[in-house]
Amino acid sequence: MLREGHGRPILIGHRGAPCYRPEHSAVGYRMALAQGCDALETDLVPSSDGALVIRHEEALSGSTDVAQRPEFASRRRRKIVEDIELVDWFAEDFTWSELETLRCREPLPDLRPKSARFDDRFPLMRLDHLLRLVEADRDERGGAVLVLELKTPSLFAAQGLDSSDLLVRKLQYLGDSELLDGLVIESFDHHALRELRWRGLSANLVPLFEPDCSAGQHLDDRALDDLTHWADGLSVASSMLGVRTTDDLDGAASGAELVSRAHDRGLAVLSYTLRPEDRYLPEAFAGDPERYWRGLLATGIDGVFVDAPDLVSPLLDDFASPERAEMFRWWPRASSARAS
């Protein structure tokens, strides 16, 4: 648990606890909280009737049972998503009343059989459901910060489904609810995030950067200076932090330098996604994810998105610092919301 001024890196349940339960399921989010997460990350896509649906992407076949539902067979179609042609079922072609009949599935069943054992048990969620889940947890244990990722909002807006506007209206409806304390909104669509800032949204805005974006290529001093005008932090892929071999365990120079330059500008740095399977580790750390994670944390990052919160949580106290406690003024209540 975080305590006031502790300065530990923030532990963020990425889509819940997907190593153990299908991603974006209520049971997965509850497990993430039980395993000590300070924040819950979720992805949002719109339904045809304007519900904010919790899915990693609008394509549904990989993480739901839609392909086994004959009543929806005719909805399968072709679509270009970020220059990639997909043939699938897409959330924006369904009403929420249709989507809520679907059930969650593990997208990587061979890799995560523990999660796949729970396929087809849990319904899809919309943002309202997660808000109620966090509200119940707030009453019981102090609550968690919400991290909401808008998936390709500009593309949806071009289709007449403005997910950014849907989110703004939802937040306005909530007013000064404690559910919004420390709220983070993130996206790879930086233009959409800037638009939210210009609309006066008071949430913490955190642009995501693609994994192939090297620390020096797109995040030079000029780029960081620009972020200070509208963003509160940045979120980078773990591969951008330069931890590739056991020589990097004391804080890879490139990653530590990026974090330091961001901190000098008052920007927090988050990193995604810490996963225990060898597929997601540099070769030098195969079979030993903890050493890799320690190398990442040694760069000074302020928070990590994780798929197995119980494995990462025990490491975080070793990386607490007074400087980070000071940094978290930008993320209200994050250092105290789960205080015991």
Side-chain angles (χ1 to χ4, degrees):
M1 295 290 186
L2 290 178
R3 297 184 182 275
E4 185 72 42
H6 190 291
R8 240 177 46 154
I10 294 291
L11 184 67
I12 308 166
H14 178 244
R15 312 178 202 169
C19 278
Y20 309 114
R21 297 294 186 275
E23 64 184 40
H24 294 317
S25 62
V27 68
Y29 284 116
R30 292 191 187 99
M31 179 173 283
L33 292 172
Q35 292 182 354
C37 283
D38 310 295
L40 299 178
E41 184 268 353
T42 197
D43 305 297
L44 300 174
V45 299
S47 67
S48 65
D49 54 349
L52 287 170
V53 183
I54 294 179
R55 287 288 93 191
H56 177 247
E57 56 192 9
E58 64 266 39
L60 298 171
S61 66
S63 63
T64 79
D65 64 346
V66 68
Q68 282 67 50
R69 302 291 292 274
E71 67 270 33
F72 298 134
S74 64
R75 306 287 181 89
R76 189 168 182 257
R77 66 178 177 90
R78 296 179 184 274
K79 179 183 176 181
I80 303 297
V81 180
E82 297 181 321
D83 299 324
I84 299 174
E85 184 180 61
L86 299 178
V87 179
D88 212 305
W89 292 259
F90 300 97
E92 69 268 26
D93 297 331
F94 293 76
T95 64
W96 170 249
S97 63
E98 293 171 326
L99 289 169
E100 68 178 343
T101 69
L102 301 179
R103 293 296 179 264
C104 298
R105 286 191 169 185
E106 168 54 50
L108 302 168
D110 293 336
L111 193 65
R112 294 181 170 172
K114 288 183 181 179
S115 173
R117 286 169 46 210
F118 294 90
D119 281 357
D120 302 338
R121 297 193 190 186
F122 311 118
L124 272 60
M125 300 175 70
R126 58 188 290 178
L127 179 57
D128 304 83
H129 298 143
L130 185 60
L131 291 170
R132 288 198 289 271
L133 187 152
V134 171
E135 184 174 33
D137 183 70
R138 186 174 296 276
D139 292 340
E140 180 180 349
R141 292 184 293 184
V145 170
L146 281 172
V147 181
L148 309 179
E149 181 180 345
L150 285 169
K151 308 298 290 191
T152 61
S154 296
L155 295 179
F156 284 123
Q159 300 174 45
L161 292 168
D162 192 336
S163 54
S164 294
D165 188 63
L166 291 170
L167 180 57
V168 168
R169 284 190 277 145
K170 173 60 67 176
L171 299 181
Q172 290 173 339
Y173 173 79
L174 291 170
D176 60 355
S177 169
E178 289 187 351
L179 290 171
L180 305 184
D181 288 344
L183 174 67
V184 174
I185 300 175
E186 59 177 6
S187 183
F188 287 104
D189 187 336
H190 299 180
H191 174 75
L193 288 182
R194 286 194 295 267
E195 288 292 318
L196 291 177
R197 179 62 79 217
W198 307 150
R199 293 179 64 169
L201 197 68
S202 60
N204 299 300
L205 301 183
V206 176
L208 289 153
F209 288 86
E210 296 283 359
D212 60 354
C213 167
S214 67
Q217 186 176 6
H218 297 302
L219 288 171
D220 57 15
D221 286 345
R222 181 175 178 179
L224 292 177
D225 288 341
D226 177 69
L227 290 180
T228 63
H229 296 297
W230 60 272
D232 300 283
L234 59 153
S235 185
V236 299
S238 59
S239 59
M240 294 172 59
L241 294 172
V243 181
R244 298 182 179 88
T245 73
T246 54
D247 293 334
D248 303 316
L249 294 179
D250 292 331
S254 60
E257 189 262 345
L258 169 61
V259 172
S260 177
R261 288 190 292 112
H263 284 177
D264 287 345
R265 292 163 171 80
L267 297 168
V269 182
L270 310 179
S271 184
Y272 66 93
T273 302
L274 276 59
R275 295 170 164 136
E277 297 91 356
D278 285 351
R279 178 187 299 186
Y280 304 112
L281 302 173
E283 185 176 352
F285 298 99
D288 194 2
E290 180 178 317
R291 293 188 76 197
Y292 177 56
W293 298 337
R294 285 185 175 277
L296 297 174
L297 291 163
T299 65
I301 51 177
D302 303 297
V304 286
F305 295 84
V306 303
D307 282 4
D310 60 326
L311 301 183
V312 180
S313 181
L315 312 181
L316 300 182
D317 283 345
D318 292 343
F319 298 91
S321 70
E323 293 78 14
R324 185 176 290 106
E326 179 71 9
M327 276 295 303
F328 281 140
R329 291 183 303 169
W330 75 281
W331 194 337
R333 302 169 74 102
S335 61
S336 59
R338 301 190 64 78
S340 54

